[in-house]
Amino acid sequence: MVRNFRSRLRDGEVLLGTMLTLPSAAVAEILADAGFSWLFVDCEHGPMDVAAVQEVLQAVGHRCACIVRVPEGTEGEIKRILDAGAQGIIVPQVNSAAQAAAVVRASRYPPQGSRGVGIGRAQGYGARFADYVSSANDEVVVVVQAEHRDAVDSIEEIVAVPGIDCVLIGPYDLSASFNRMGQIHDAEVVSAIERVLSVCAGAGIPTGYFGVTAEAVEEYRRRGCRLLVAGVDVAFLSGGAQRMQRQFTSAE
């Protein structure tokens, strides 16, 4: 079974994951077998839906933590993903304390929040209802993304919201919000990232970072980020296929 991922994050363990965008349990198994600590299951971009998420969780959720990025931070989206059995959620474009507070409320059962009470895979389809409801508030991970300049401006208020477990920096969307699409090493973008890291460190809130390569996230591991995302499933497939084609062509 997957050890409580929220506890691992709070204990300061470095947790390296990768992004799953394809609605495929087989791809999820391949990535879990590669030894990643967790999978970033992405429902914001691409064809992944709740049914596909549940199939992924059924395939690997017992041995590799699956934290799911919802399309948006609405109560309905969060509830359905958590009821499918995800160990936590990642919410994109959280740019204010009010948005952060709404995300936490939707992720926690009363009295800590307003999460609706339903019966699904997370509750053992009813068989483990009492156990799940009694432990979910302590175990479900709530990650908000700082990926817009408005989030940077409001970061002190965001991290002050009780129940936020981690702030995950999205450098590419962040660069776009400064009208520097993809220029993640631009001085203004780097300054914004440093501000988020500094404020989170001061508040005792873990931080995370997405990078296309291991080298990109290693830089931020050294800066104290603990929730790391390196690479994307489709990029692994595309890159491997292109290398094979080049090797064959060069041998002709």
Side-chain angles (χ1 to χ4, degrees):
M1 293 295 291
V2 176
R3 183 184 156 218
N4 187 323
F5 194 79
R6 194 182 189 206
S7 295
R8 295 172 68 188
L9 183 60
R10 288 181 166 183
D11 289 346
E13 184 177 343
V14 176
L15 299 163
L16 177 64
T18 194
M19 189 177 291
L20 176 72
T21 66
L22 296 171
S24 168
V27 173
E29 287 183 309
I30 291 168
L31 296 177
D33 284 344
F36 289 103
S37 298
W38 65 290
L39 298 183
F40 180 129
V41 182
D42 189 24
C43 290
E44 184 189 16
H45 301 290
M48 192 83 71
D49 60 15
V50 177
V53 168
Q54 180 155 307
E55 290 179 1
V56 166
L57 292 167
Q58 289 168 329
V60 302
H62 59 293
R63 57 193 174 96
C64 181
C66 296
I67 313 299
V68 180
R69 178 161 67 179
V70 295
E72 55 188 359
T74 63
E75 183 175 357
E77 295 285 357
I78 292 171
K79 177 169 51 182
R80 295 178 73 204
I81 289 298
L82 292 181
D83 283 349
Q87 282 90 356
I89 56 163
I90 299 168
V91 182
Q93 296 290 341
V94 176
N95 299 328
S96 70
Q99 285 179 283
V103 166
V104 173
R105 283 196 303 273
S107 306
R108 305 282 184 236
Y109 287 124
Q112 296 180 29
S114 60
R115 178 180 169 185
V117 179
I119 294 178
R121 180 178 174 275
Q123 301 86 4
Y125 305 101
R128 296 186 298 276
F129 180 82
D131 288 343
Y132 179 80
V133 170
S134 67
S135 63
N137 283 356
D138 293 327
E139 296 184 1
V140 166
V141 177
V142 176
V143 180
V144 297
Q145 286 199 266
E147 52 181 351
H148 193 279
R149 61 191 303 166
D150 291 346
V152 178
D153 291 342
S154 300
I155 193 63
E156 289 94 348
E157 293 81 11
I158 291 171
V159 299
V161 173
I164 296 298
D165 294 309
C166 181
V167 174
L168 177 64
I169 297 166
Y172 290 92
D173 278 342
L174 182 59
S175 69
S177 74
F178 284 97
N179 293 320
R180 292 173 175 82
M181 177 76 75
Q183 299 177 44
I184 62 173
H185 298 295
D186 175 84
E188 193 170 12
V189 176
V190 171
S191 177
I193 292 172
E194 295 292 345
R195 173 169 157 73
V196 172
L197 295 177
S198 176
V199 170
C200 288
I205 298 294
T207 50
Y209 187 84
F210 168 79
V212 175
T213 65
E215 292 79 11
V217 299
E218 171 60 23
E219 176 184 354
Y220 284 91
R221 184 193 66 80
R222 293 195 301 268
R223 296 186 188 185
C225 291
R226 290 295 175 262
L227 190 69
L228 302 173
V229 192
V232 184
D233 54 359
V234 290
F236 293 143
L237 179 59
S238 175
Q242 290 180 46
R243 282 192 299 274
M244 177 66 74
Q245 195 277 336
R246 287 195 299 268
Q247 288 168 3
F248 181 81
T249 301
S250 64
E252 291 181 341

